[in-house]
Amino acid sequence: MVAATFLLLLLSSLAPAPALSLPPRPPVRCGGGGDDAGCVLSNAYGAWSSDRADCPVAAVAYPASEREVVAAVARASEGGARVKVVSGFAHNIPKLACPGGGAGNGSTLLISTARLAGVEVDAAARTVAADAGAPLRAVIDAAEARGLSLAAAPYWEGVSVGGLVSTGSHGSSWWGRGGAVHDHVVALRLVVPAGEADGWARVLALRKGDELFPAALVSLGLLGVVTKVTLALEPRFKRSITYEYRDDTAFQDDFAAHAARHEFADITWYPSQRTAVYRVDDRAPLNASGDGVNDFIGFQSTLIAVSAGIRAAETALERSRSVKGKCAMAAAEIAAKRLVGSGLRNNGVLFTGYPVVGYQGRMQTSGSCARSPAADLLSACPWDPRFRGLFFYETTAFFSPARFRDFILDVKRLRDAAGADSLCGVDVYNGLLVRFVRASAAHLGQPEDSVAVDFNYYRASDAAAPRLGGDVWEEVEQLAFVKHGARPHWAKNRLVAFAGVRGKYPGWGAFAAAKRRLDPRGMFDSPWSDEVVGGEEAAKGDGC
């Protein structure tokens, strides 16, 4: 009965999306006395990985130019305030952008880049210069309009350029410059604090080859305010995508060959279903037939009633401890994605079969719910916290290829010991998404060609409530981060993933030296960085 209900809800969500739907709420919300009075910061999910409390801030600035950013940083520098930066999206799961303190503490400033969103393409140089707050989608569209393509992008497009570069966001490729967007950066501009003699703030213009460039690429917002990023582009191209469903028996032995064979390869592993879905994804000639679109079904606007219904069904299964119900949900999820090509559309409207061929700008990333107009209250992103929809944790780990093989084998052993049904909870979402990221020159980028594994799982509305299969997924996390020494994605993960993180990045010492040089007073520190970067013990939040 529960499985049938869930399947009905899921199939309803795959129907054509309403023409009008509700966009995500802004991350910064302020009370009645102006933009900087009684303000709080929250992320797109309504809860951080460490706790569920909004972040109060004493003041918020909305600069629309680099000069205004300099002025805001100078005022904070002169007054000794702690400063953090947020975009118009705030999809970070850790509390990266919270400066600490509170609304009653005048020593905190939040700088929003929501109004700093210019984009300029230089077709001759094959580059695009984007202000830090520019939406990724705007950058991609501007490049494509000039006959150029950005080769790398994260799978979710609802992010800003400054935010995605600063946190090491990535797509999937071991080819060329690789799948991490920061490895396609050729220049950036950074506003950092200064002394009184220099007007309390200054601008650094950094290019590839400069001493501080590797530190500034993935800076976590700890060095200053990124104001502009210049990315390398390529002549416009098409992509051809096919999803191949296979038994997972040989998964641990052929993932590397798959990544070497296909430029934009990934693999989605559904361990409870013993299935691995191989994404065969390569460039296609410009004259190849097809005008396809990648509109991943998990990122589409969904009827609010459907999202709330799916969440209610999963919560009911959690409370009744129904493992079989969770597995029925997982099987229905996979079947529905297979039926509709996971959101690929051959002609921009319908999925009619593989391969799906389309221009890079329409195939490389998706997130149509992030672009919904504020005109209707019926649909929204399925995780929008205003409507009690999906609510989950997200774990992302980076492995060396050899350690990833061992990790897969360990998860299979865990499956054999605990039973395949114990792993259904992750397959309800999107299984384990496996992507490929090249070694980076960034100090806090990946130090070697790496395999990134991303998985989501149920998060209880009550922080103290135990999760069904929670022990299994905590064991998987420990296998990743402790036994196999995986590195955490900076913008995802619970705090446990960051234990010992400084020892996992060979460039950590060089990054720390750059931070001491550019921000010696710790103006851009935060409670999160005090714990993760500084090693200070902090109060613990969510336990389950």
Side-chain angles (χ1 to χ4, degrees):
M1 180 65 158
V2 172
T5 301
F6 173 76
L7 182 57
L8 177 61
L9 292 169
L10 184 58
L11 291 176
S12 296
S13 73
L14 301 183
L20 302 175
S21 54
L22 195 67
R25 70 180 183 185
V28 181
R29 304 182 307 283
C30 298
D35 278 355
D36 60 353
C39 298
V40 295
L41 168 70
S42 60
N43 65 8
Y45 309 100
W48 312 95
S49 56
S50 55
D51 63 63
R52 303 172 187 230
D54 286 339
C55 168
V57 290
V60 183
Y62 289 89
S65 66
E66 183 177 83
R67 178 178 296 181
E68 292 178 6
V69 173
V70 171
V73 173
R75 288 193 299 271
S77 179
E78 182 179 15
R82 269 195 172 187
V83 179
K84 298 306 291 183
V85 183
V86 68
S87 72
F89 297 98
H91 270 269
N92 286 336
I93 296 173
K95 223 165 185 174
L96 286 173
C98 182
N105 182 351
S107 63
T108 61
L109 171 67
L110 189 66
I111 295 177
S112 170
T113 61
R115 297 174 186 168
L116 191 67
V119 178
E120 184 175 352
V121 176
D122 185 334
R126 292 182 182 172
T127 60
V128 57
D131 290 342
L136 174 60
R137 172 48 59 189
V139 174
I140 290 171
D141 288 349
E144 294 281 324
R146 299 292 299 276
L148 299 166
S149 291
L150 177 64
Y155 284 15
W156 164 249
E157 69 178 52
V159 290
S160 70
V161 169
L164 71 90
V165 167
S166 296
T167 56
S169 296
H170 60 90
S172 184
S173 185
W174 273 351
W175 293 36
R177 289 187 175 94
V181 182
H182 61 266
D183 290 322
H184 297 253
V185 174
V186 296
L188 61 78
R189 295 175 67 84
L190 184 71
V191 177
V192 299
E196 182 177 6
D198 294 315
W200 297 107
R202 60 194 177 101
V203 178
L204 295 181
L206 300 175
R207 300 192 65 83
K208 192 172 183 178
D210 291 344
E211 179 188 1
L212 291 169
F213 191 72
L217 283 178
V218 182
S219 64
L220 310 182
L222 294 175
L223 304 183
V225 183
V226 174
T227 56
K228 191 178 292 291
V229 176
T230 302
L231 294 154
L233 301 174
E234 299 182 15
R236 195 182 191 200
F237 61 91
K238 282 187 169 183
R239 275 165 69 168
S240 172
I241 300 178
T242 296
Y243 286 113
E244 296 182 354
Y245 286 71
R246 307 178 191 173
D247 180 272
D248 72 359
T249 303
F251 172 38
Q252 68 275 3
D253 296 317
D254 61 16
F255 69 87
H258 180 63
R261 191 176 300 120
H262 303 290
E263 183 173 3
F264 303 106
D266 72 27
I267 303 171
T268 301
W269 184 28
Y270 296 100
S272 74
Q273 309 297 305
R274 303 181 187 273
T275 297
V277 183
Y278 289 68
R279 178 165 166 159
V280 177
D281 189 347
D282 294 289
R283 298 187 189 221
L286 274 178
N287 61 359
S289 177
D291 191 21
V293 173
N294 175 14
D295 189 15
F296 177 61
I297 59 175
F299 297 160
Q300 296 175 12
S301 288
T302 304
L303 288 171
I304 292 168
V306 169
S307 299
I310 292 173
R311 173 66 180 185
E314 189 176 13
T315 299
L317 294 173
E318 287 276 333
R319 290 174 178 169
S320 64
R321 319 306 289 169
S322 176
V323 174
K324 293 297 183 183
K326 278 288 188 83
C327 291
M329 290 180 74
E333 168 85 2
I334 297 166
K337 286 180 177 176
R338 188 168 191 171
L339 180 66
V340 298
S342 292
L344 292 172
R345 297 171 180 170
N346 300 74
N347 55 7
V349 179
L350 296 172
F351 172 68
T352 58
Y354 296 119
V356 179
V357 177
Y359 287 103
Q360 164 74 344
R362 289 157 62 87
M363 299 286 275
Q364 67 191 114
T365 186
S366 61
S368 55
C369 73
R371 293 179 273 116
S372 302
D376 188 69
L377 297 179
L378 296 180
S379 304
C381 291
W383 55 81
D384 194 311
R386 292 170 293 184
F387 309 115
R388 299 184 180 274
L390 305 186
F391 189 44
F392 49 84
Y393 283 114
E394 185 167 7
T395 295
T396 302
F398 294 93
F399 298 80
S400 70
R403 298 302 291 269
F404 178 62
R405 182 183 187 277
D406 293 339
F407 169 75
I408 297 171
L409 291 173
D410 275 340
V411 174
K412 286 186 172 182
R413 292 186 191 102
L414 180 62
R415 180 175 67 187
D416 292 340
D421 287 357
S422 66
L423 302 177
C424 287
V426 74
D427 291 349
V428 166
Y429 289 85
N430 197 44
L432 281 78
L433 175 61
V434 178
R435 291 181 282 179
F436 305 97
V437 180
R438 286 203 66 180
S440 174
H443 294 325
L444 298 187
Q446 297 313 306
E448 60 188 335
D449 287 356
S450 301
V451 182
V453 181
D454 185 288
F455 57 93
N456 300 341
Y457 49 97
Y458 179 87
R459 185 174 186 178
S461 299
D462 177 358
R467 290 174 285 115
L468 184 61
D471 54 341
V472 173
W473 290 106
E474 290 189 5
E475 179 66 17
V476 171
E477 285 181 318
Q478 291 183 57
L479 286 171
F481 297 112
V482 180
K483 180 176 181 179
H484 296 295
R487 297 173 294 275
H489 191 301
W490 296 110
K492 301 178 183 178
N493 295 300
R494 301 190 302 152
L495 279 173
V496 65
F498 295 96
V501 69
R502 289 174 292 174
K504 296 179 178 180
Y505 283 88
W508 187 272
F511 178 81
K515 176 167 172 50
R516 288 192 297 269
R517 177 175 166 184
L518 297 180
D519 185 23
R521 291 176 289 155
M523 190 171 134
F524 286 90
D525 290 351
S526 69
W528 180 87
S529 66
D530 290 345
E531 180 168 12
V532 172
V533 179
E536 297 180 10
E537 186 72 16
K540 298 297 180 283
D542 275 16
C544 297

